[in-house]
Amino acid sequence: AQKVTQAQTEISVVEKEDVTLDCVYETRDTTYYLFWYKQPPSGELVFLIRRNSFDEQNEISGRYSWNFQKSTSSFNFTITASQVVDSAVYFCALSEYGSSNTGKLIFGQGTTLQVKP
Amino acid sequence: GAGVSQSPSNKVTEKGKDVELRCDPISGHTALYWYRQSLGQGLEFLIYFQGNSAPDKSGLPSDRFSAERTGGSVSTLTIQRTQQEDSAVYLCASIPGLITDTQYFGPGTRLTVL
């Protein structure tokens, strides 16, 4: 069965520290996508990144970077030089395309990141 | 352009009443999803629409929940005889058409059942 685990419930860092949010997934499909979404206090889910199962290249976007490792079924997210505006709940999600024809997202429980000034 | 919109933003109702939640997807998006975010269950899939049909209703928690989509655009999620455990934020997302497309979410409707 498919599952996404974000073991870190809450993380608190001081501004300018680097922080890594962990995500481990389970799937039997060979074709799937992984996502990260940010949910700031306003409540709206903001899309950050999407990776497909055939592309293990790491990606960097500004202060954000993602490390996808199929060998460990992980898709970790690192924020470099964190800022107060990064404070939010971050969700990792999985969507399967081998056995499913709907693209529905399976979410982890979320990690609440607090960045203190 | 405009994103996904949902109304109302907040809804307080009494146990046993029916409620309707509305989702306006991004213009031109043919597929639409409903999710629910609650403290106990996290973010859960409810239903998927492709056009006006719903090929996947597997996430609807009970037969009190139903949804429809008309004209391939607006969708309405109806909860009949609301219960306190229905209290949650109901989120809608839309995609242009391919299930591999990224889902873009609306701001959600916060439902409180007293």
Side-chain angles (χ1 to χ4, degrees), chain A residues 7-74:
Chain A
Q8 304 149 308
T9 306
E10 292 184 20
I11 301 176
S12 181
V13 299
V14 176
E15 207 169 21
K16 297 185 184 176
E17 284 185 25
D18 298 347
V19 58
T20 296
L21 283 58
D22 297 333
C23 173
V24 174
Y25 62 92
E26 295 176 30
T27 178
R28 293 179 186 165
D29 275 359
T30 57
T31 306
Y32 53 90
Y33 277 82
L34 296 163
F35 301 80
W36 277 95
Y37 284 86
K38 174 181 180 180
Q39 189 174 45
S42 61
E44 192 158 345
L45 277 170
V46 177
F47 166 74
L48 295 178
I49 190 172
R50 178 181 77 162
R51 303 297 284 174
N52 74 54
S53 52
F54 301 109
D55 183 2
E56 285 192 75
Q57 275 196 334
N58 292 330
E59 182 154 340
I60 298 174
S61 176
R63 297 183 296 106
Y64 295 171
S65 62
W66 291 269
N67 181 277
F68 176 27
Q69 292 194 340
K70 288 178 76 171
S71 61
T72 55
S73 297
S74 65

Side-chain angles (χ1 to χ4, degrees), chain A residues 33 35 37 39 43-45 47 50 91 95 97 100-105 107 109, chain B residues 33 35 37 41-43 45 48 56 58 91 99-107:
Chain A
Y33 277 82
F35 301 80
Y37 284 86
Q39 189 174 45
E44 192 158 345
L45 277 170
F47 166 74
R50 178 181 77 162
F91 290 95
S95 189
Y97 299 101
S100 165
N101 61 355
T102 68
K104 64 186 177 187
L105 295 173
F107 286 90
Q109 290 298 101
Chain B
Y33 300 80
Y35 293 86
Q37 184 174 21
Q41 302 298 321
L43 269 158
F45 164 79
Y48 159 71
D56 190 348
S58 62
L91 293 160
I99 59 172
T100 52
D101 291 333
T102 296
Q103 294 180 31
Y104 292 93
F105 284 81

Side-chain angles (χ1 to χ4, degrees), chain B residues 58-92:
Chain B
S58 62
L60 295 178
S62 76
D63 58 9
R64 295 185 297 104
F65 287 72
S66 63
E68 65 175 11
R69 192 174 182 206
T70 54
S73 181
V74 172
S75 176
T76 303
L77 177 69
T78 301
I79 309 173
Q80 295 178 310
R81 304 181 303 282
T82 52
Q83 303 293 313
Q84 287 183 332
E85 62 262 26
D86 299 335
S87 296
V89 176
Y90 290 82
L91 293 160
C92 175

